[in-house]
Amino acid sequence: MFKWRTKDICEKDILSPDGRLKCHFSLKSGHISYSVSRNDKVIIRPSKLGFLICGENPLRDNLKLIRTHTRKHDEIIELQWGEDRYIQNTYTETAFYLAESKEPRRIFTIRFRVFNDSVAFRYEIPPQPKFRRITIKDELTEFNLDLNTLAWKIPAYQPDRYEYNYEKSAVYDLQNSVHTPLTLRTPNGYYLAIHEAALYNYGSMTIKLNAQNILKADITPLSDGTKAHINLPFNTPWRLIMVASSAIELTTNRTMYALNKAPTQDFSWVHTLKFIGIWWAMYVGEWTWAPGERHGATTEHAKEYIDAAVRLGISGLLIEGWNEGWEGDWLENGINNKFTVATSDFNLEEVATYATEHNIELVGHHETVGFVDNYEKQLEAAYSYYAANNIHYIKTGYAGSMMMINGHREFHHSQLGVNHYQKTVELAAKNHICLDIHEPIKGTGIERTWPNLLSREGARGQEYEGGALSPSHACFLPYTRLLAGGMDYTSGIFDLANSVKRMATTLARQVAYFVTIYSGMAMAADRPFIYEDRFPNVFEFIRAVPTNFEKTLPLLGEIGEYYVVARKDRESADWFLGGVTNENGRRVHIDLDFLDSGAYQATIYADSDDAHYRENPFGINIQQKHIGRGEALDIYMSPGGGFAIQLKKL
Ligand code: NOJ
Ligand code: CA
């Protein structure tokens, strides 16, 4: 009989293609670990790997190496839409095939990929006799960092899901589990983000400090206390460590997409979208979601908004509160939501026909309040209903603090939550529907495989304005949440001094968001009359800005302080620049070396010298000039301010 010559000891380096980033794998005394360094400076110290499995021995001990397999991969992948058309998928891969040296002699593989800017690895467990369906009790993956590493974090397992303000603390001070992407700065000056890619059929990874003061994976549990029930073969999501020399460099790490698969079906019907909505009027108390005198989603209002979208040059319209289920306390009563029954003052067929006649894409709305059982019962009918009415976009929402799945309260980020979101994405694809998921599962790059998942929320958005957002919030996002992909931040609120929802931003900053916070479905969130009657010239930027970019260049910034980015349109030679700052005003100097040769017409939307997010939010200067490569722009951002620039190629 053929016998593998197994090894008890293995020490192996896996080097990035440029040789600077190194992952070291170690097998000794039956245990496996990895560490990471860059330019020979330690980033992650030896960190354990493995699992606890319910009713079985841990998959961690008495390990031997059967064989290794190393290969190099070099590819440029093209994304259908997004911040960058082309992504480098270039890495060195080593797979370590392992076996237990004692009974039950199970086998599994750990596969590492080392990119120039990231280290990723996953576990792959094949089916084996008596080892086919397993329950994960704990994933033991560690990220052993210097305790003085700084972390920018939001807490996990809280009622408002990902909707918290970012806080900075040293790793030794992490008291509770935190979500990924977890952005970090090591004492030797590297910026990291720990995240995951291709999250399917498994609990989402949060991170916690264990009793030994080591950061470790904390997989979101199910209501039965376990982490995941899986059938073998099973590959875990990729554990991803992004590595950069500066905070701004981190913002364009795209490895997450490279770790996801290419689509396996035709998605040529997917198009990014800009839309307005029957929405902010509810937040400022003018209209209501529920039927009544001030009901927002009436046939009449919808037609008025469709007319306004046409005048504004915006292609889509979201309609919230159109269906039965909003009466009373909608958060409490969400279990009654009906997704195929319109309220008596809203005629979906009539509105949909009117929208089609006017070339406007309707964005349907399903607020589930997290009552997944109720939603899944209606899912097929609800998506068919929209599809039959020529509706190709749906915003979904899961505003409850927990999900109700199979009669149990589950975390949104648990295996069952992950599987529910995936079900909606796949069923939507079948119906040629694109999704914008609010209260979503975090992005792990599955948009590469499922491009109809155009956007998500998954952080505090502008609905928290009016007190709960500070100007620093949108200066944290590019370095944290947005590492997980685009976000529907509901940008473009121009009614800054509204007595119900006063914004902690300037006017120029509201248009800056269309560049600094990418979304494949980008909402111009204010009421159309605000745009048309009060600020038609500022709205020009929203009309012009694309929702699909050829490339993104991170220019300047520091976490929570400021952020400046340039993006090239995918359909033209034009560039769009955006910047935001926290409570501190600042002047930024932008070299335009990245432009092609030839002249550009610049339209600059910048804070006036006396603008201020509290005292003078409307202070804006709109200026036009010709400019070209080799020149530079000096732009002032006021406290809580920002800027947006359109560079039109002449
Ligand atoms: C929370 C979403 O983020 C928001 O956009 C929506 O309006 C409400 N839920 C109601 O569905
Ligand atoms: Ca929300």
Side-chain angles (χ1 to χ4, degrees):
M1 199 179 90
F2 180 75
K3 241 182 145 230
W4 292 106
R5 210 176 323 127
T6 57
K7 286 192 194 156
D8 294 328
I9 292 178
C10 170
E11 300 289 338
K12 184 168 167 67
D13 288 339
I14 312 155
L15 289 179
S16 60
D18 69 2
R20 294 171 61 208
L21 193 58
K22 180 163 84 186
C23 179
H24 181 81
F25 174 86
S26 167
L27 165 68
K28 56 180 177 229
S29 316
H31 289 126
I32 53 172
S33 65
Y34 77 99
S35 56
V36 177
S37 59
R38 179 150 169 179
N39 295 333
D40 291 324
K41 286 204 261 175
V42 174
I43 290 179
I44 296 190
R45 299 182 294 208
S47 300
K48 289 181 195 145
L49 298 162
F51 295 95
L52 299 185
I53 297 174
C54 294
E56 314 239 4
N57 291 342
L59 199 56
R60 172 193 63 185
D61 307 326
N62 311 316
L63 298 176
K64 284 190 170 199
L65 184 68
I66 304 174
R67 66 182 175 106
T68 63
H69 181 253
T70 297
R71 68 181 181 103
K72 291 189 187 305
H73 187 84
D74 185 11
E75 178 197 19
I76 289 173
I77 58 180
E78 183 175 353
L79 299 184
Q80 189 176 332
W81 53 265
E83 300 175 79
D84 284 295
R85 183 200 286 253
Y86 299 109
I87 309 264
Q88 196 75 43
N89 186 20
T90 302
Y91 55 80
T92 312
E93 175 182 284
T94 302
F96 298 88
Y97 295 83
L98 300 153
E100 289 171 312
S101 56
K102 297 191 178 142
E103 287 302 325
R105 299 191 190 277
R106 293 164 301 181
I107 56 171
F108 70 101
T109 301
I110 176 151
R111 186 179 303 277
F112 287 88
R113 288 187 184 166
V114 183
F115 300 76
N116 287 343
D117 62 1
S118 313
V119 171
F121 59 88
R122 72 174 182 197
Y123 303 88
E124 303 174 354
I125 314 177
Q128 299 155 60
K130 292 199 223 144
F131 199 56
R132 296 187 174 274
R133 178 164 172 78
I134 64 173
T135 297
I136 303 290
K137 191 169 168 199
D138 197 10
E139 181 181 318
L140 303 172
T141 307
E142 292 178 349
F143 305 93
N144 185 356
L145 287 158
D146 186 313
L147 287 177
N148 288 309
T149 298
L150 293 175
W152 285 267
K153 58 184 207 244
I154 50 169
Y157 312 132
Q158 299 300 308
D160 287 328
R161 307 150 308 264
Y162 300 116
E163 297 174 1
Y164 288 89
N165 289 329
Y166 284 87
E167 282 175 12
K168 174 166 127 181
S169 73
V171 161
Y172 61 73
D173 230 6
L174 285 188
Q175 315 215 309
N176 298 306
S177 296
V178 294
H179 281 297
T180 81
L182 175 62
T183 300
L184 302 150
R185 185 177 185 277
T186 63
N188 55 12
Y190 287 118
Y191 287 82
L192 316 180
I194 298 177
H195 191 39
E196 59 186 316
L199 169 58
Y200 291 101
N201 193 22
Y202 199 73
S204 158
M205 180 175 73
T206 73
I207 304 284
K208 73 170 184 200
L209 203 58
N210 68 11
Q212 292 75 46
N213 271 340
I214 294 175
L215 286 187
K216 87 171 264 304
D218 177 24
I219 306 302
T220 304
L222 293 161
S223 58
D224 66 9
T226 71
K227 308 290 184 158
H229 301 284
I230 52 185
N231 289 321
L232 304 182
F234 185 79
N235 299 338
T236 65
W238 291 95
R239 277 59 189 99
L240 169 60
I241 303 148
M242 311 180 206
V243 183
S245 308
S246 67
I248 191 74
E249 182 194 323
L250 193 62
T251 61
T252 45
N253 185 304
R254 308 282 185 228
T255 308
M256 182 180 80
Y257 297 105
L259 292 166
N260 277 273
K261 291 194 188 127
T264 54
Q265 49 184 278
D266 173 40
F267 283 100
S268 58
W269 49 271
V270 168
H271 301 285
T272 61
L273 183 76
K274 221 180 291 169
F275 61 105
I276 57 171
I278 295 185
W279 188 72
W280 195 243
M282 278 84 103
Y283 279 86
V284 294
E286 287 168 3
W287 289 351
T288 58
W289 278 277
E293 260 174 33
R294 289 182 294 116
H295 187 207
T298 64
T299 303
E300 195 190 336
H301 288 156
K303 288 185 175 177
E304 282 167 16
Y305 267 47
I306 289 169
D307 294 343
V310 171
R311 289 193 304 272
L312 288 165
I314 295 291
S315 343
L317 171 67
L318 163 72
I319 304 173
E320 291 201 8
W322 66 277
N323 62 318
E324 278 193 6
W326 290 91
E327 295 80 0
D329 183 339
W330 62 269
L331 280 169
E332 287 296 318
N333 303 337
I335 196 156
N336 301 321
N337 283 354
K338 300 208 170 48
F339 301 104
T340 50
V341 186
T343 56
S344 60
D345 52 355
F346 183 77
N347 185 326
L348 182 83
E349 288 76 13
E350 190 180 330
V351 171
T353 306
Y354 193 77
T356 305
E357 283 165 5
H358 289 79
N359 231 347
I360 294 296
E361 296 280 356
L362 287 186
V363 181
H365 185 236
H366 291 160
E367 175 53 72
T368 71
V369 197
F371 290 102
V372 167
D373 289 337
N374 177 50
Y375 189 38
E376 289 207 358
K377 269 189 258 162
Q378 304 179 54
L379 211 52
E380 300 254 353
Y383 287 18
S384 306
Y385 182 44
Y386 272 147
N389 280 288
N390 201 24
I391 295 172
H392 308 296
Y393 297 86
I394 304 178
K395 170 178 170 181
T396 57
Y398 297 85
S401 61
M402 296 289 278
M403 284 182 157
M404 185 61 80
I405 307 182
N406 302 333
H408 297 286
R409 283 162 57 82
E410 305 285 353
F411 286 113
H412 289 60
H413 317 115
S414 64
Q415 180 190 26
L416 286 171
V418 168
N419 288 350
H420 167 70
Y421 290 112
Q422 188 58 26
K423 192 175 199 171
T424 67
V425 170
E426 295 183 19
L427 188 66
K430 218 163 136 190
N431 285 282
H432 285 202
I433 287 171
C434 298
L435 292 182
D436 171 6
I437 308 179
H438 278 233
E439 297 80 39
I441 183 67
K442 69 189 176 190
T444 58
I446 68 160
E447 299 87 323
R448 181 181 178 209
T449 318
W450 301 97
N452 65 312
L453 174 44
L454 278 176
S455 194
R456 313 168 196 245
E457 187 195 38
R460 281 197 171 183
Q462 293 220 88
E463 64 194 31
Y464 281 83
E465 284 284 7
L469 287 188
S470 76
S472 60
H473 182 63
C475 301
F476 283 112
L477 293 176
Y479 308 96
T480 54
R481 157 68 182 82
L482 300 180
L483 299 175
M487 173 179 179
D488 179 10
Y489 194 59
T490 60
S491 305
I493 303 291
F494 286 5
D495 187 12
L496 304 168
N498 187 284
S499 56
V500 181
K501 282 276 195 192
R502 198 190 161 89
M503 314 298 286
T505 79
T506 63
L507 189 53
R509 179 190 180 99
Q510 286 291 330
V511 288
Y513 286 155
F514 286 85
V515 189
T516 63
I517 304 175
Y518 175 73
S519 184
M521 278 175 72
M523 187 177 194
D526 215 332
R527 293 92 80 212
F529 72 87
I530 298 283
Y531 296 139
E532 294 192 275
D533 301 347
R534 290 181 55 190
F535 306 103
N537 52 346
V538 184
F539 188 79
E540 270 310 297
F541 185 82
I542 299 184
R543 205 190 45 69
V545 70
T547 48
N548 193 10
F549 292 99
E550 180 71 20
K551 64 175 154 193
T552 291
L553 298 179
L555 296 179
L556 302 163
E558 288 298 341
I559 304 173
E561 306 264 320
Y562 70 114
Y563 173 63
V564 179
V565 65
R567 305 194 200 257
K568 183 168 188 275
D569 182 15
R570 210 178 270 205
E571 308 296 330
S572 74
D574 301 348
W575 282 83
F576 292 80
L577 276 61
V580 288
T581 182
N582 61 3
E583 290 78 356
N584 302 318
R586 70 187 83 222
R587 201 168 283 283
V588 288
H589 179 83
I590 304 167
D591 284 319
L592 297 173
D593 324 338
F594 55 85
L595 294 179
D596 291 329
S597 59
Y600 290 78
Q601 158 96 6
T603 309
I604 303 168
Y605 303 76
D607 295 324
S608 60
D609 286 347
D610 59 353
H612 187 287
Y613 71 101
R614 275 198 307 262
E615 272 94 54
N616 182 19
F618 294 105
I620 192 169
N621 289 329
I622 304 177
Q623 193 202 342
Q624 293 206 317
K625 63 173 171 188
H626 285 185
I627 201 152
R629 189 168 70 191
E631 293 180 71
L633 287 167
D634 280 293
I635 308 279
Y636 173 67
M637 295 191 275
S638 72
F643 70 88
I645 301 172
Q646 178 185 10
L647 293 172
K648 200 166 180 35
K649 188 93 203 283
L650 294 172

